[in-house]
Amino acid sequence: MNDANDSPESAENWKITVFGPRKQIEAALIAHEDAFDWDFEIVLSGCEVAKDKPEEWVLEAYLPRKPRKADKNAVIALFADATPELIIERLPDIDWITASQEGLEPIVAGRFCVHTPDHAPVPGLIPFEIPASRAFGTGHHETTAGCLTMLGHMKDQGVIARNVADIGTGTGLLAFAALELWPRAYATASDIDAACVGVVEHNCAVNGFPMGARAGEVTMVVADGMDDPVLQARGPYDLLIANILAGPLISLAPDFAKSLVPGGHLLLAGLLETQEAQVRAACRRAGMRLAARMVSGDWSILWLRKRSYARVHASQVGALAEWSKKW
């Protein structure tokens, strides 16, 4: 265990880093989702060390304080069959989340282009300007880009959305994409983090989306899952989008089903491909069936439908299956 700085506890940001094989880090991320007593001031992320080293991964835990013994033990506990080496360092006095996203190149996801103010959009695509911020959802993560691609495919398959909710919206990006595809829809964006309100307000102004409660406008609420009076009052929904984590997706599956109209659509992301079977099983128990899926990096993006009395035509099922095979 390597402590890079033994100075007194500080209000600045600190990071715990663990390097390991992909399966070990993925297992730690899954264990984190199942840890109901996790301190949510500790923000966890994991990814490959480099694109050309897909089996070498790193887990990073960010804290607003110097790690205490309990913090270190919580990270160690994520590794059931090993005692990892913790690399602990104090970070510069900057907004590390924003800094990590500065200078990002524009990304293309289906018919959409997402770019920061430092770059011009890609011609011929629907552009979104999303500045670097503390909120998740700049489009550069495989899950967000995958959702954008899947939304475009849903539109191509004839999906009509009149009432949309983006759960765990972060920057508001996926709600914006839904309004671009279905401009007269009612759109509700929610997040558990109150800091996202200002982020969404800013991004609405930059991208020309009015905020409000009418069709074509974005309503922003702070909510934990679907347990919110505004979310419940504005339902039921034709389309729910949730790009969060596998654990919450599993626990929220019954609430998602209750909040959808019969035949309504559910777009899920934030789950590793290794977690897909669990998420799909939870959705199946709640009365939803898979319409299409794609894999973006190590992440699965799922389009599900709530059961309705009307059957989907066999030709449409075949078309969806063929599209899914491409991914």
Side-chain angles (χ1 to χ4, degrees):
M1 191 176 297
N2 175 29
D3 285 270
N5 192 320
D6 291 322
S7 62
E9 186 168 314
S10 167
E12 295 183 359
N13 292 307
W14 290 71
K15 180 173 73 167
I16 301 174
T17 303
V18 178
F19 292 95
R22 169 182 167 177
K23 289 185 178 179
Q24 185 183 60
I25 301 299
E26 285 185 345
L29 293 170
I30 293 171
H32 159 251
E33 293 183 22
D34 295 334
F36 293 106
D37 58 347
W38 185 262
D39 182 350
F40 288 101
E41 284 194 320
I42 306 175
V43 179
L44 210 66
S45 69
C47 63
E48 65 269 23
V49 172
K51 291 295 184 183
D52 59 346
K53 298 180 179 179
E55 297 304 317
E56 298 179 25
W57 276 45
V58 58
L59 180 142
E60 295 172 317
Y62 294 89
L63 303 90
R65 58 179 179 268
K66 183 177 180 181
R68 306 162 183 159
K69 183 178 180 180
D71 300 328
K72 300 173 189 177
N73 288 339
V75 174
I76 291 172
L78 299 176
F79 296 83
D81 300 324
T83 302
E85 178 184 2
L86 306 186
I87 301 171
I88 300 175
E89 58 184 317
R90 182 177 178 178
L91 300 176
D93 188 16
I94 59 174
D95 185 338
W96 55 266
I97 298 179
T98 299
S100 70
Q101 298 175 8
E102 288 178 348
L104 292 175
E105 294 293 327
I107 67 107
V108 172
R111 67 188 73 190
F112 301 105
C113 167
V114 186
H115 65 99
T116 66
D118 301 324
H119 295 87
V122 176
L125 299 175
I126 299 172
F128 296 118
E129 181 180 310
I130 305 293
S133 75
R134 294 189 61 86
F136 179 81
T138 62
H140 291 80
H141 194 275
E142 288 96 337
T143 59
T144 312
C147 284
L148 291 172
T149 301
M150 186 67 87
L151 282 170
H153 175 68
M154 293 167 72
K155 174 75 172 183
D156 292 340
Q157 291 296 313
V159 170
I160 298 174
R162 301 179 181 87
N163 194 10
V164 180
D166 177 14
I167 309 301
T169 191
T171 62
L173 175 59
L174 296 179
F176 301 163
L179 279 180
E180 281 288 346
L181 296 172
W182 299 282
R184 294 305 300 163
Y186 290 88
T188 309
S190 77
D191 203 285
I192 194 172
D193 186 354
C196 293
V197 175
V199 173
V200 171
E201 288 175 346
H202 174 80
N203 290 339
C204 277
V206 168
N207 291 280
F209 293 99
M211 297 197 71
R214 297 177 298 183
E217 300 177 339
V218 177
T219 299
M220 178 68 197
V221 299
V222 178
D224 183 0
M226 301 301 296
D227 187 17
D228 178 82
V230 175
L231 281 174
Q232 293 172 5
R234 288 173 66 85
Y237 300 93
D238 305 299
L239 170 61
L240 282 176
I241 306 167
N243 180 16
I244 43 179
L245 293 169
L249 292 178
I250 291 170
S251 62
L252 286 170
D255 292 335
F256 288 153
K258 292 175 185 176
S259 301
L260 285 169
V261 299
H265 305 272
L266 178 64
L267 176 56
L268 300 182
L271 58 144
L272 292 163
E273 190 177 6
T274 55
Q275 300 168 315
E276 181 180 332
Q278 294 172 286
V279 174
R280 286 172 60 175
C283 292
R284 186 165 56 250
R285 289 192 296 269
M288 293 176 285
R289 291 291 182 267
L290 185 70
R293 65 181 289 272
M294 62 177 286
V295 176
S296 181
D298 296 297
W299 306 88
S300 293
I301 290 85
L302 307 178
W303 167 19
L304 301 111
R305 294 200 67 183
K306 182 177 177 179
R307 286 178 178 171
S308 65
Y309 296 110
R311 293 185 177 180
V312 180
H313 193 275
S315 62
Q316 184 180 4
V317 173
L320 293 174
E322 288 301 315
W323 184 86
S324 297
K325 288 179 182 177
K326 297 190 297 183
W327 301 96

